[in-house]
Amino acid sequence: MSEPVIICRCEDITLKEIQEFIKQGTYTLEELKRECRCGMGPCQGRTCTPLIAQELATTLKTSIAGIAVPTFRPPAAPISLGALAPGDDHD
């Protein structure tokens, strides 16, 4: 028995899982991202997005240029309130 092919290492998502989502009607990278969190790990999709786009293009019988790229947002990091509105020395 062969090992599963990991397509998104950050979120541990296999090629078979991606293929199942596509069979169920998930036809865009954005939808796949919402369904299974692919592209939402530490690499922010730099590794898996091209692989998943190729799988979508193959399944949908289109060119990879026809696959819409999902919205990229910068990672958020918590900051202290003091960093936004530092108080006086008397506070």
Side-chain angles (χ1 to χ4, degrees):
M1 186 173 207
S2 64
E3 292 291 318
V5 175
I6 303 293
I7 200 162
C8 178
R9 294 179 291 181
C10 298
E11 296 295 326
D12 200 31
I13 299 166
T14 65
L15 177 59
K16 185 174 180 177
E17 289 173 306
I18 295 295
Q19 290 169 337
E20 286 299 317
F21 279 112
I22 295 170
K23 283 180 189 173
Q24 294 170 10
T26 308
Y27 297 132
T28 68
L29 286 168
E30 190 69 42
E31 290 172 333
L32 283 166
K33 184 176 174 181
R34 292 170 195 265
E35 289 287 333
C36 65
R37 296 190 44 83
C38 59
M40 295 179 74
C43 86
Q44 294 292 293
R46 283 184 211 88
T47 303
C48 65
T49 298
L51 299 172
I52 297 169
Q54 182 61 53
E55 186 62 28
L56 274 169
T58 301
T59 304
L60 300 175
K61 295 178 178 45
T62 187
S63 71
I64 199 160
I67 304 297
V69 179
T71 304
F72 289 99
R73 295 174 186 90
I79 60 172
S80 69
L81 183 57
L84 294 174
D88 294 338
D89 290 337
H90 305 294
D91 290 340

